[in-house]
Amino acid sequence: MPAPVPRQRETPVSESAQAVLQTAEHPAAHPPAQQTAAHPSEHPAAPPVVTDRPGGPPPAPALPRGIPQPTAHATPLTLLVIADDPAGDLTVPEILDADGHRIRLRTARNLTEAARLLTPDVHCILLDLSLPYPAPRTTGSATPPAGTPLDQLATLRQVLRLAPRHAVLVLACEADAERAAEAVRVGAQDFLFRDELDGRLLSRTIRYAVERKRADIAQYKLAESKLRAQENARLERGLLPTPLLEGSDLRFAARYRPGRSRALLGGDFYDTVRTPDGTVHAMIGDVCGHGPDEAALGVELRIAWRALTLAGLCGDDLLATLQEVLEVERPCEEIFATLCTVDISPDGRRAGLCLAGHPAPLISRPGGPARLLPYENSGPALGLLPRARWPRRQVELGGTWSLMLYTDGLIEGRIGEGKERLGQDGMVEMINRHLDRGLSGESLLEASVTEARRLNGGELTDDVAVVLLSRAEG
């Protein structure tokens, strides 16, 4: 029959500090005055402890959920003792934590009872290595077949699986010193000998074990986080496009800022390639949403656009095929993507423009202010309407020009604390101010994104991608 779950009893500070607490206590083993009203398997503990430094150890930083947190001054440590001690000869001395609070004590006779007592407020486990094996099936371990050698540390291994985030101490006889040392190699934080058990040593060992376990988990999570960040960075950096403009006289610049924290890639995407006939094709797009699924879909659309462009598709045929790709790859039917494509003639003086629900590009020429290209008769965003059409508009560029493609993350930032947004008109004014200062290329894009962020009063919440193609005649 499973052992009942003991209820915890708080002991008043005025209670005698000399009381001796015994683990695995049975009701018949002691007079009624020594038994608690709740359950004999849990006891409050009391003084004395000597701290290693004035005020105790320094406070530990906040840790992820699931890791036992540092105790506040009003919350004492809790020790769970697991020991099969029917004779009642195992005594746990009275102990205090570093702040002078009594360390609360819980006892369990087996792993079934220990699993029930292992609540989040338990900070450390003290396991008696003499606890017999095999343990009950309810802990997840089956009895080994007949003739199989017993693992002397099998119970400890089960405790470590049962409480992977808790500090574990083992208790052994001096004759079992080698097995106790092996227990530390298996995963325990430290070991104690039964004959040397006293309040000062136990208190110091508990505090050391708790802090060491907390530091080990924090270090492991930090290393895991760094490794994952490095892997993500390598992956996302490899997915960012490399423009294919060999043989072209156009200059290329780009800026990219994902809206997700600590990400390199967002739902915005862009690309630029030059086909064998000398035409330069540029594209910029935006998948609705900001998560990793949207970023993955943006990468798929960019790669599909490059493949289709190099295969000779352009304009409406290209966008119709991209819509088919989107409809197949998107996680749900509500996902859509806006797109702007530009194909610049080999002489660099003309371009074809297609808009699929995307903001019109900005063009600047010497001697005049920057302005938006015509955006009438643009088509819908990809994924909104079946069998949609996207007309291609011919645009005269001239001899010397700069063409800027951007996503709406640049123009949807707020201006100050109000609800007013930068918008396309505000962006055009901002670009003209930077052009008047003589900025161009990378400097122009960096100044524009930085000012949009400053006007927003902080980091822009949406992904931002900006591409600048420039040509100087002669």
Side-chain angles (χ1 to χ4, degrees), residues 8-68:
Q8 186 136 330
R9 179 175 68 89
E10 299 293 347
T11 302
V13 177
S14 60
E15 185 175 331
S16 172
Q18 305 301 321
V20 177
L21 304 175
Q22 296 194 352
T23 63
E25 191 174 357
H26 294 277
H30 300 278
Q34 295 179 346
Q35 299 178 13
T36 65
H39 193 280
S41 63
E42 182 171 337
H43 308 273
V49 145
V50 177
T51 58
D52 296 328
R53 65 177 68 187
L63 296 173
R65 181 179 299 177
I67 302 177

Side-chain angles (χ1 to χ4, degrees), residues 64-366:
R65 181 179 299 177
I67 302 177
Q69 299 293 322
T71 56
H73 289 289
T75 306
L77 290 171
T78 301
L79 174 68
L80 174 61
V81 180
I82 308 175
D84 182 26
D85 190 31
D89 59 347
L90 172 60
T91 60
V92 177
E94 300 165 348
I95 45 181
L96 294 177
D97 63 15
D99 296 324
H101 298 105
R102 297 182 178 185
I103 294 181
R104 296 182 297 185
L105 187 66
R106 299 180 183 178
T107 62
R109 292 179 292 270
N110 51 54
L111 294 188
T112 302
E113 191 172 334
R116 296 179 178 181
L117 294 174
L118 192 62
T119 53
D121 60 330
V122 172
H123 298 86
C124 186
I125 298 173
L126 178 62
L127 172 66
D128 188 352
L129 287 183
S130 64
L131 193 70
Y133 183 86
R137 288 179 179 271
T138 53
T139 61
S141 175
T143 303
T148 302
L150 295 181
D151 182 0
Q152 293 184 331
L153 296 176
T155 304
L156 171 62
R157 299 181 197 276
Q158 291 190 44
V159 170
L160 294 175
R161 286 193 295 268
L162 182 67
R165 298 183 180 276
H166 291 75
V168 177
L169 300 172
V170 295
L171 190 64
C173 299
E174 290 193 30
D176 278 343
E178 184 175 346
R179 184 156 70 116
E182 179 65 21
V184 175
R185 289 191 287 269
V186 168
Q189 271 60 61
D190 207 343
F191 65 86
L192 295 166
F193 292 131
R194 297 169 70 103
D195 298 338
E196 298 177 354
L197 201 60
D198 62 56
R200 178 178 178 180
L201 175 62
L202 181 57
S203 174
R204 186 168 55 218
T205 305
I206 290 172
R207 289 187 285 116
Y208 167 76
V210 170
E211 295 303 325
R212 178 180 174 183
K213 184 65 176 181
R214 187 177 292 123
D216 288 346
I217 293 178
Q219 186 66 27
Y220 173 80
K221 286 190 171 292
L222 178 60
E224 185 182 51
S225 176
K226 287 182 178 179
L227 180 60
R228 186 182 295 111
Q230 291 171 358
E231 292 175 348
N232 290 343
R234 285 194 296 268
L235 174 62
E236 294 185 351
R237 194 173 291 112
L239 294 175
L240 289 173
T242 300
L244 302 179
L245 291 174
E246 185 177 358
S248 173
D249 60 350
L250 301 184
R251 290 177 297 173
F252 173 87
R255 275 293 179 272
Y256 195 99
R257 284 192 180 183
R260 291 182 295 138
S261 175
R262 295 185 297 276
L264 295 178
L265 205 61
D268 292 3
F269 54 98
Y270 66 89
D271 205 351
T272 306
V273 298
R274 182 176 183 266
T275 50
D277 64 354
T279 302
V280 172
H281 302 261
M283 170 272 292
I284 195 166
D286 181 6
V287 178
C288 68
H290 312 290
D293 291 338
E294 289 76 10
L297 182 57
V299 171
E300 292 181 90
L301 292 175
R302 180 187 69 78
I303 295 174
W305 177 87
R306 175 175 284 201
L308 294 171
T309 299
L310 293 176
L313 271 69
C314 184
D316 183 74
D317 293 337
L318 173 60
L319 293 176
T321 307
L322 284 178
Q323 175 159 281
E324 294 181 11
V325 174
L326 172 67
E327 291 172 345
V328 171
E329 298 295 337
R330 63 185 175 183
C332 61
E333 294 184 357
E334 288 76 18
I335 298 296
F336 63 90
T338 65
L339 198 69
C340 169
T341 66
V342 175
D343 54 277
I344 302 170
S345 61
D347 63 5
R349 303 185 66 88
R350 294 173 302 280
L353 172 65
C354 285
L355 295 176
H358 199 86
L362 184 74
I363 187 169
S364 63
R365 301 183 180 92

Side-chain angles (χ1 to χ4, degrees), residues 29 82 195 261 354 375 395 429-430 444 464:
I82 308 175
D195 298 338
S261 175
C354 285
Y375 50 86
V395 178
E429 295 178 4
M430 177 180 68
L444 175 63
V464 178

